[in-house]
Amino acid sequence: MAPRPIHRNPPPPIDRSVPGLAARHVAQNAVATLLGPARGLALEDALGQSGRGLNLEPGDAALARAIATASFRRLGFLKAALAERLRDGLPQKPDLLALLVTGSAQILDLAVADHAAVDLSVRLAKADPQLTHLAPLVNAVLRRVARERDDIRAAEDDPLKRNTPDWLAQRWIAAYGEAAAKGIAAAHLEGAALDVTVREDADAWAEKLGGRRLDLGSLRLEGREAVAGLPGYDEGAWWVQDAAAALPVRLLAPRPGERVADLCAAPGGKTAQVAAAGARVTAVDRSAARLERLQRNLERLKLSAELVTADALELPEDKPFDAVLLDAPCSATGTIRRHPDIAWTKSEADIVRLAGLQRRLLDKAARLTAPGGRLVYCTCSLEPEEGSARIADFLARNGDFERVAITADQVGGHAEMIDHNGDLRTLPSHLGGGSGRGGGVDGFFGSLLRRRG
């Protein structure tokens, strides 16, 4: 589905001769979009639409993304700091709020000189007819943020309470307990490391890439180099995939020659895993553009799959598969460490809406599974309605399926990643997430089911 277009006032002209100004304009405009009425739009799409026509250089595009991401990663903290330093509280105008938030994020979280963050924010205000009269306010507030950096940082305690939307915090406390919920919130502040899945010889590639092999089977890289410039990328030795995201296929355990369906397949990391195992994989996604990117990735990896552009709900059922993987569309709250905007752009209504789609997709996946075959249902969500509740509902209605309990051996000995039902449940705080040592994984749910033969 194509991203919804942003309907906003025409952007002010940007002086391209000022280094970094266009990048900051794109970041501020994208953040303003998501703080305004376009909730639900992904940050990457907002950045793309905000930068349309500016033709940013790669370095500027990366800077815009870094500023916008930092703004959402600590949005609760940033808004609290700004509210304390504004006589009339937080501004209601998304454009002004975004300008103050992105400026503060540069000062507090990025390796940006204070004077550059302040000066370029003021320039953006002056260039916008709607904000030009507020340029002195922007200047005064951001200078105060820079002066009081240490005090602001010292006040950043309890990320669950002060940096997490209340509706999400309450959900996680109810589902996992307060201590675990606090661990999740702390892990979100750290961001995510770069994990890769290798086709073979993981120890050798760990040495070549300067990473370490995780118990889960993935490699975790320590550096921040551009992915395409790393050893092994061009020859297709590995692909980027969070360690938790690689687990569902490990549970499915595809075998050479098996017919496997990967439903909702894009971006394709799981398709690559299945193909690398020697199975004959049919990758299904409703987005032709996403499947084109998947095909390009498969070509780089020298792997093959049958790609089908279709709504999975409309697939024919006359030739069931030996195994089916359903990575269902979800709220993606398990990926907030990578995409912090999700915490602030999703709502409980999204969870309710998507749970209905997940129910229909799971029933369809069951009909595509041959007798004696395996079905893995998974979501990158922390919400029970999109995980354990879906499986409980499914099993209550489908007596010809049974749950296959996951063992600790299947997840690298990490018994904490298995819930009381025997399903996969990873939390961002697992593997040392929130400890400040580059740990953590995405929040994933997965259930391994078998159709009775």
Side-chain angles (χ1 to χ4, degrees):
M1 182 180 297
R4 299 193 309 274
I6 300 172
H7 298 291
R8 294 171 56 78
N9 293 327
I14 297 300
D15 186 349
R16 299 300 298 272
S17 68
V18 180
L21 188 63
R24 287 164 172 84
H25 163 72
V26 170
Q28 181 247 346
N29 196 43
V31 173
T33 296
L34 299 187
L35 293 178
R39 292 176 62 87
L41 189 71
L43 177 57
E44 197 65 29
D45 293 329
L47 285 166
Q49 294 186 27
S50 297
R52 188 169 295 159
L54 290 176
N55 298 316
L56 294 184
E57 295 293 330
D60 276 341
L63 175 60
R65 183 176 295 104
I67 292 171
T69 300
S71 297
F72 281 107
R73 190 172 304 287
R74 308 183 89 88
L75 183 60
F77 288 145
L78 294 173
K79 289 172 70 174
L82 288 168
E84 292 172 0
R85 289 158 179 82
L86 288 161
R87 184 185 61 190
D88 298 323
L90 289 175
Q92 297 302 307
K93 289 183 177 181
D95 288 341
L96 178 57
L97 178 58
L99 191 56
L100 293 173
V101 165
T102 54
S104 298
Q106 293 172 64
I107 293 167
L108 296 170
D109 294 297
L110 299 179
V112 172
D114 292 351
H115 67 84
V118 175
D119 177 63
L120 295 178
S121 297
V122 171
R123 285 176 181 264
L124 288 177
K126 289 180 176 179
D128 188 336
Q130 303 298 317
L131 299 179
T132 186
H133 65 291
L134 296 170
L137 172 68
V138 172
N139 180 64
V141 171
L142 292 183
R143 285 183 179 277
R144 185 174 174 189
V145 168
R147 287 196 309 271
E148 299 174 4
R149 176 189 290 103
D150 292 343
D151 291 339
I152 292 171
R153 279 299 198 190
E156 291 184 347
D157 61 344
D158 196 350
L160 181 65
K161 181 178 180 181
R162 292 168 54 83
N163 197 54
T164 305
D166 185 63
W167 70 274
L168 274 178
Q170 294 307 313
R171 279 181 150 272
W172 298 339
I173 291 171
Y176 308 112
E178 187 168 3
K182 287 185 175 183
I184 291 170
H188 289 163
L189 283 178
E190 293 183 348
L194 180 65
D195 295 342
V196 302
T197 299
V198 296
R199 295 185 62 173
E200 57 188 15
D201 206 356
D203 290 331
W205 279 109
E207 183 175 352
K208 292 177 184 178
L209 293 169
R212 57 190 174 94
R213 187 174 182 180
L214 302 178
D215 296 336
L216 301 178
S218 300
L219 298 187
R220 177 154 293 176
L221 309 189
E222 306 298 336
R224 295 288 181 179
E225 299 88 353
V227 169
L230 293 172
Y233 178 85
D234 289 335
E235 53 264 50
W238 49 265
W239 57 94
V240 175
Q241 187 177 31
D242 185 80
L247 291 176
V249 174
R250 301 189 199 282
L251 300 179
L252 190 69
R255 296 185 284 270
E258 282 191 317
R259 292 182 63 248
V260 178
D262 182 6
L263 308 182
C264 311
K270 298 177 181 64
T271 298
Q273 284 181 277
V274 176
R280 293 177 293 153
V281 57
T282 299
V284 182
D285 201 278
R286 63 188 301 174
S287 169
R290 284 162 62 87
L291 280 180
E292 288 177 9
R293 291 195 293 271
L294 193 159
Q295 179 61 45
R296 291 195 295 271
N297 285 332
L298 290 177
E299 290 171 357
R300 177 179 66 84
L301 298 169
K302 301 176 180 61
L303 296 171
S304 62
E306 178 189 8
L307 305 187
V308 177
T309 305
D311 184 336
L313 292 170
E314 298 176 0
L315 291 176
E317 301 170 7
D318 56 324
K319 294 182 180 179
F321 294 84
D322 300 310
V324 175
L325 173 67
L326 172 59
D327 187 355
C330 68
S331 63
T333 55
T335 68
I336 291 173
R337 58 202 281 272
R338 296 184 185 278
H339 307 290
D341 52 297
I342 285 173
W344 305 96
T345 59
K346 299 288 185 176
S347 70
E348 289 190 282
D350 294 312
I351 296 168
V352 173
R353 174 180 57 83
L354 289 165
L357 175 60
Q358 293 151 11
R359 187 179 195 267
R360 297 193 298 275
L361 284 168
L362 186 50
D363 286 347
K364 179 68 174 185
R367 296 194 294 272
L368 292 171
T369 305
R374 297 154 353 257
L375 166 60
V376 165
Y377 167 86
C378 63
T379 58
C380 56
S381 169
L382 292 170
E383 314 316 311
E385 296 94 326
E386 300 183 295
S388 56
R390 288 277 58 76
I391 296 303
D393 169 73
F394 173 80
L395 291 176
R397 295 182 294 103
N398 292 272
D400 56 338
F401 275 83
E402 61 183 351
R403 173 190 279 115
V404 180
I406 298 166
T407 66
D409 289 343
Q410 291 174 283
V411 290
H414 291 279
E416 72 277 9
M417 295 182 177
I418 303 173
D419 71 12
H420 67 282
N421 291 315
D423 290 328
L424 175 71
R425 165 41 71 204
T426 65
L427 300 178
S429 51
H430 287 157
L431 293 190
S435 65
R437 298 193 299 272
V441 291
D442 284 352
F444 248 88
F445 174 86
S447 185
L448 173 60
L449 307 169
R450 180 186 291 120
R451 185 169 189 175
R452 304 179 197 275

